[in-house]
Amino acid sequence: MAGHDINYLGMTGLLSKLGREGGKPTAPLNLMADFAGGGLMCAMGVILALLERTKSGRGQVIDASMVDGASYIGSWIYQTKDAPYLWPIGDELGKNLLDTGSPFYDTYQTKDNKFMAVGAIEPQFYQQLINGLGLTDEDVPGQVDLDKWPETKKIFADVFRSKTQSEWCKVFDGVDACVTPVLTLEGAAQHSHNQTRKTFLTNEDGDAEPRPAPLLLRTPGVNYVKPNPVTGQHTEVVLKEVGYSQSEIDELIKNEVVKSETVKSML
């Protein structure tokens, strides 16, 4: 059967936990199964097999399934599914601690139609959030008063709409309130934190792309910033690697069986 990230994630049970109250399950782009459960877990499998080979001297097949990998990444969800504070309403979307049900773990729109991300779970961080919003404990229900979460969320939403994203960033800069801006892809590359960390590189097309991570201090990853390949750029190189002659390749191109571009290959 054919499938994509959303299908594999649906098979794990985890997609049923992603979504807002009154809505339907919402896929987190194709990050969870394709890249995390698939590519990342496969890469980890390669590393584990190489490590094991140093002891046994033998190679082995790595069975990397996106459903298996995404399920394993979601192990914590399975292990905590009966925790009453984390999942007080259980299977109902958007009514629990981390699924945007709580007022202190959600995003809020600002005056300039941008957003702030709030993750003030711990009491000490929550108190800093309340202070930063210019509120007092008397202005809002208690943090763990689950029945009043919708009321608290409305209070927070009204306050956040009173300032721009930039203004809120100044309010919470350096404050342990777990409040950060929701940046665009372009904005992320320009943010001072990411610039200090050199999190993003600029490729030859002038576009930002993430630097290899994690950063190994003795042998850091190669900062490869060439433009993304165009369709057909590596056609001839790949066909030659699998045994096609140049005349056979030319015939395939002529008959439009394959496409080839004259951009210099970077393989």
Side-chain angles (χ1 to χ4, degrees):
M1 284 177 60
H4 284 291
D5 188 288
I6 192 170
N7 308 114
Y8 310 135
L9 191 57
M11 293 294 293
T12 69
L14 298 173
L15 183 56
S16 70
K17 295 292 189 181
L18 304 177
R20 289 189 172 274
E21 181 181 0
K24 59 184 180 179
T26 303
L29 303 180
N30 65 328
L31 298 173
M32 185 68 176
D34 281 354
F35 297 119
L40 187 61
M41 295 302 288
C42 182
M44 181 178 291
V46 172
I47 294 171
L48 292 172
L50 290 173
L51 178 62
E52 194 280 334
R53 189 185 65 177
T54 64
K55 298 179 180 180
S56 68
R58 302 176 62 190
Q60 58 185 302
V61 174
I62 299 162
D63 182 355
S65 158
M66 284 182 273
V67 174
D68 294 354
S71 297
Y72 185 64
I73 286 174
S75 295
W76 183 80
I77 305 299
Y78 275 94
Q79 293 167 359
T80 63
K81 62 183 176 63
D82 295 323
Y85 184 52
L86 291 171
W87 304 100
I89 314 298
D91 290 333
E92 291 191 45
L93 283 173
K95 291 187 176 183
N96 301 286
L97 182 72
L98 301 177
D99 63 357
T100 73
S102 67
F104 48 85
Y105 204 87
D106 202 352
T107 58
Y108 291 94
Q109 191 170 19
T110 58
K111 187 177 181 179
D112 53 348
N113 294 320
K114 297 181 181 180
F115 293 89
M116 298 296 289
V118 175
I121 299 173
E122 294 81 357
Q124 66 272 28
F125 301 150
Y126 182 77
Q127 189 60 57
Q128 292 296 326
L129 167 64
I130 297 299
N131 295 342
L133 292 176
L135 300 170
T136 66
D137 292 339
E138 289 71 34
D139 294 326
V140 291
Q143 180 183 8
V144 296
D145 190 344
L146 275 61
D147 292 335
K148 297 294 183 66
W149 275 0
E151 177 184 337
T152 304
K153 184 172 287 193
K154 183 179 185 306
I155 294 172
F156 286 0
D158 290 342
V159 175
F160 270 109
R161 279 194 293 266
S162 69
K163 297 180 187 294
T164 65
Q165 185 188 74
S166 177
E167 289 172 330
W168 282 121
C169 287
K170 292 178 181 178
V171 169
F172 288 105
D173 184 31
V175 178
D176 288 333
C178 301
V179 179
T180 56
V182 177
L183 302 171
T184 62
L185 297 183
E186 294 76 17
Q190 300 301 319
H191 193 275
S192 58
H193 170 82
N194 293 331
Q195 289 188 334
T196 299
R197 287 282 305 168
K198 298 180 180 178
T199 303
F200 295 92
L201 306 171
T202 303
N203 63 28
E204 292 182 355
D205 290 334
D207 297 324
E209 56 185 65
R211 180 187 65 182
L215 181 62
L216 305 183
L217 297 185
R218 186 171 57 81
T219 58
V222 176
N223 294 334
Y224 184 79
V225 292
K226 295 289 185 181
N228 289 330
V230 299
T231 302
Q233 181 173 334
H234 302 118
T235 298
E236 295 191 36
V237 173
V238 172
L239 290 176
K240 286 179 181 178
E241 286 181 351
V242 297
Y244 282 84
S245 67
Q246 185 61 55
S247 60
E248 290 173 324
I249 294 173
D250 292 340
E251 189 68 18
L252 290 172
I253 296 172
K254 178 182 177 181
N255 293 327
E256 299 184 347
V257 176
V258 298
K259 183 176 180 180
S260 178
E261 293 290 341
T262 57
V263 180
K264 183 179 179 182
S265 171
M266 292 181 286
L267 290 181

